[in-house]
Structures are given as structure tokens and as C-alpha cells.
Amino acid sequence: MFSCKDEHSNIEPKVEKSNTIVLISINAPKKYSHLIKQDSIGKTLKDSLGPKAFYAKNGFTYLDYMNNEQTWLPKPNVRDTIVIECYSEYLEFTTNNFFTSMPDTFLVKNGDTVVFNYTDNIPKAKITNRNVNDDELNYNSYRLKKLFNNKYTSHHLIFTSVFIDNNLKNHEQNSIDYYNKAQIDYNREVILLDSLFNSNTITETNYNYRKDALNMLMEKHKKLKTITKWLKQNNTLRGKEIIEQKFGFDLAKTDSLMTFSFFRDYLKNISQYNLEFIKENNVNSGGFYIDSRIRFDSILNDQRFNQSAKNYLLFDAYNGIGQNFRMKDKEKYFKKLQLNTTKGNGSILIFGQVGVSLVEKQCLNPKSL
């Protein structure tokens, strides 16, 4: 009996994993808006007139455990909390920042409790259950201040200089100039990341995560029509002296990479298949969009993508069909969507006005407290 008692006393109690992440938002702003000519964060403007950028549905976007993108929009001017189910080691939350060309992102661990406070409409995170370096957790704010003095980044100006510089005539050349500046800033940021990693300021996981996001950002620049044309001409003139390096991911790791928004952007980019834009002219207005029907069928037949990637991309392509094509196309591709997207858990599809949403059977939704 004594030996049994001693034996049991040496058994460590089993600690159950929480499988949840708690987000707490304190006094979120009611509206997310930025004056275009407000060229730096926190700048006070005497004249509040002029074009503004509005984020009507800005919040924290994440990939839930069913691989569906969700966005939590905290209640304004109060303390608001949400509990999110999580079964992976890490989960990424993203939110828009008008001064940069990529969203602010926060990489947190399963079991974390994260508190968001706001300065100049931009959230800053703090993890309460473990010690995390602030420059690692809030890296986007750190890089914006360290490399760009809290002003518009060169990466962002490639796309938006026409609105900020008010120079439509030289917009293409300005975009090329900002792209060249962005290449210099890319090298500066790589050096910064190396320094943070070598000084143990950020972990290896965060180092690789931030570097991959930066590489993806540079690839997105090359998709801009002006930059694509310039790179092609420039490389032709220089012959074989320069070969543009292409950045990519191992698609065999799709399931583990889907958590990250930059990887989902990568999937979207490579599934555009260089389709030409359709130009729509409605007298004084119009739009540009690709033929999402062709894109849908191409994704369906693309052997590079596993089922997780196809589920995500086919929904994305179908939304493009819903926005730009006739009802008969929507109905045709809705049937294809039903036949070719699977969740393996009894999910059913509900047809909406502009797209499709998943209604999951027998699953626990995030609890808003």
C-alpha cells in the first residue's frame, strides 16, 4: 500500500490544452478613416477636408478551424471580448493599416489572451499569459516607425502615389521610382530582421514568418501592370545580366501555411493565370475584372492545389462570378462549387446574394462575450 501511494504521488497531473484564444479589445474606434493627405500617423491637420479612406468593416481577420476566413469587428468605445477555437500552434490576426501596403498582423499562440488598445485608430497588442517581446508581437508598428518614420511606405506609394502626390500625368514613372525605392527598403528590412533575430529579439518562427510576408509583398509589386511592363523592358535591355528572382512556397505544406494571410494572398496570385482584365465602361464609371469563370475551371483542374487550397480558391473565384456575371453563370458555378468543395464534416452550402457562405453543422461558433 505504501508503494502504491508513493507511485501515484509521482504521477504528474495531465494538463489539458485550452484550444482557445481570447481577444479583448478596449475602446476600439467607431470609424476607421484616414485623410489621404495625412501623410504620417498621428499628424494633426488644420484642414480636415479632402479625400478619405474608409474601412467600414475593419476588424481582425483570421482563419477559423474550418479554414474559413472570419472577421471580428469589436464593439466601439467599450471593452469587447471574443473566444476563438484554435487547434493549431499559431493563429494570425490581420487588420488594415492605411499607411502600409500589407495589413498589420499579430501572430499569437494557442491558449493566449491578447489585449488590444488603440492609438490613432491603430491597434497595439499585449499578451497577458506569457512574456513576448513588444517588437516581435507588434512588428508592423515597429517597422513602420524604424524604417519609415511613421509615414507612407515606399511599398504603399507604388499603388497610391497618384492620390497622394496629386500627379496623374507622371503616375507610371512615379510608380517605377517607388518600386526601385521599395527594393532598397526591402534590403534594409531584411537587415533589420536579421539583426532582431541574431539579438534574440524575435524567435525563429517570427523571423521566418515576417521574412516570408516581406517576400510576398515584393512579388505583389511585380503584378502591377506598370511594374510588369517596366521589368520586362528593363531586363530585355540588360540582356542576361539580370534575372528576376521569383518567390514561392512549397504547396505540399498548404495545410500548415493556410493560417497566414500572405500565403492565402500567394494562392490567389498564382491562381489568376495571367488572365486579361475585362474593361467595363458605364459612361462616367466602369471597372476592371478578370473572367472568374475561366479562373474557377482552371483552379478545379490545377494539380498543384490540394483540397484545402481548392476549397478556399473556388469560393474566392465564385465570389468574383457573383459580382460580375449573370444569374445563369452563378447558378451553373454554384452547382460546380457544391460538387467540388468538401469539408468532410457534414457542412452544407447556403446560396447568398453575392456569394456563398458555409453553415457548419454541429460546430461551436466563436463566443462573443
Side-chain angles (χ1 to χ4, degrees), residues 64 86-87 128 154 182 259 273 302 328 342 365:
D64 68 15
C86 178
Y87 298 97
T128 62
S154 54
T259 295
Y273 303 105
D302 197 327
K328 64 178 183 179
T342 61
N365 291 323

Side-chain angles (χ1 to χ4, degrees), residues 112 188 208 287 324 332 347:
D112 279 347
R188 292 172 62 218
N208 291 326
N324 300 309
K332 175 183 175 181
S347 303

Side-chain angles (χ1 to χ4, degrees), residues 158-159 175 220-229:
I158 294 172
F159 303 93
S175 294
K220 287 177 69 175
H221 294 334
K222 298 173 189 176
K223 297 291 183 180
L224 187 64
K225 189 175 181 180
T226 300
I227 305 302
T228 300
K229 180 181 176 181

Side-chain angles (χ1 to χ4, degrees), residues 186-203:
Y186 166 82
N187 292 326
R188 292 172 62 218
E189 187 161 358
V190 169
I191 293 172
L192 176 64
L193 283 168
D194 288 344
S195 174
L196 292 173
F197 176 62
N198 292 332
S199 63
N200 294 320
T201 303
I202 61 175
T203 63

Side-chain angles (χ1 to χ4, degrees), residues 107-173:
L107 190 63
V108 305
K109 280 188 173 184
N110 191 349
D112 279 347
T113 296
V114 190
V115 179
F116 290 103
N117 287 280
Y118 299 80
T119 303
D120 299 312
N121 289 354
I122 295 175
K124 187 172 183 180
K126 180 177 178 58
I127 292 176
T128 62
N129 55 287
R130 61 187 176 94
N131 292 324
V132 182
N133 187 284
D134 185 68
D135 294 339
E136 174 180 286
L137 180 60
N138 295 285
Y139 174 75
N140 295 89
S141 295
Y142 174 76
R143 72 183 282 271
L144 186 58
K145 182 178 180 180
K146 185 78 173 178
L147 298 174
F148 303 101
N149 196 28
N150 280 337
K151 295 180 179 291
Y152 288 122
T153 68
S154 54
H155 303 284
H156 188 65
L157 290 170
I158 294 172
F159 303 93
T160 58
S161 62
V162 64
F163 305 107
I164 296 168
D165 294 343
N166 294 321
N167 191 346
L168 183 61
K169 183 178 179 180
N170 296 319
H171 170 58
E172 289 194 3
Q173 184 57 52

Side-chain angles (χ1 to χ4, degrees), residues 179-351:
Y179 174 73
N180 287 322
K181 178 67 167 61
Q183 288 182 304
I184 295 172
D185 289 333
Y186 166 82
N187 292 326
R188 292 172 62 218
E189 187 161 358
V190 169
I191 293 172
L192 176 64
L193 283 168
D194 288 344
S195 174
L196 292 173
F197 176 62
N198 292 332
S199 63
N200 294 320
T201 303
I202 61 175
T203 63
E204 184 175 5
T205 297
N206 271 268
Y207 170 75
N208 291 326
Y209 164 68
R210 297 298 180 183
K211 202 166 182 181
D212 282 346
L214 183 61
N215 286 332
M216 188 63 232
L217 177 62
M218 295 303 295
E219 287 300 307
K220 287 177 69 175
H221 294 334
K222 298 173 189 176
K223 297 291 183 180
L224 187 64
K225 189 175 181 180
T226 300
I227 305 302
T228 300
K229 180 181 176 181
W230 178 79
L231 286 171
K232 186 175 180 180
Q233 292 174 341
N234 193 48
N235 290 345
T236 300
L237 291 173
R238 300 178 70 174
K240 296 182 179 180
E241 182 182 346
I242 269 282
I243 299 176
E244 278 296 318
Q245 182 179 359
K246 291 187 177 181
F247 176 71
F249 292 98
D250 182 0
L251 293 180
K253 299 178 180 178
T254 290
D255 288 343
S256 61
L257 290 170
M258 282 287 287
T259 295
F260 308 125
S261 57
F262 62 77
F263 180 72
R264 301 197 297 274
D265 284 344
Y266 172 74
L267 290 178
K268 289 179 183 178
N269 281 333
I270 65 174
S271 66
Q272 300 294 317
Y273 303 105
N274 295 319
L275 291 169
E276 294 290 332
F277 280 103
I278 298 170
K279 184 177 180 180
E280 188 178 83
N281 190 355
N282 299 320
V283 188
N284 294 325
S285 64
F288 295 88
Y289 54 88
I290 64 171
D291 193 328
S292 294
R293 301 165 300 181
I294 297 175
R295 182 183 174 223
F296 187 103
D297 291 330
S298 299
I299 293 168
L300 200 57
N301 296 317
D302 197 327
Q303 298 301 312
R304 294 175 298 171
F305 300 135
N306 68 7
Q307 191 60 51
S308 295
K310 285 187 176 182
N311 285 346
Y312 177 75
L313 292 172
L314 290 174
F315 274 95
D316 187 63
Y318 180 79
N319 281 329
I321 296 170
Q323 291 169 11
N324 300 309
F325 294 93
R326 297 180 179 179
M327 181 58 68
K328 64 178 183 179
D329 292 311
K330 299 178 192 177
E331 293 175 349
K332 175 183 175 181
Y333 280 90
F334 175 66
K335 291 177 181 177
K336 285 190 176 186
L337 191 67
Q338 285 181 305
L339 290 172
N340 294 285
T341 54
T342 61
K343 300 300 287 186
N345 58 3
S347 303
I348 58 175
L349 296 169
I350 302 298
F351 181 56

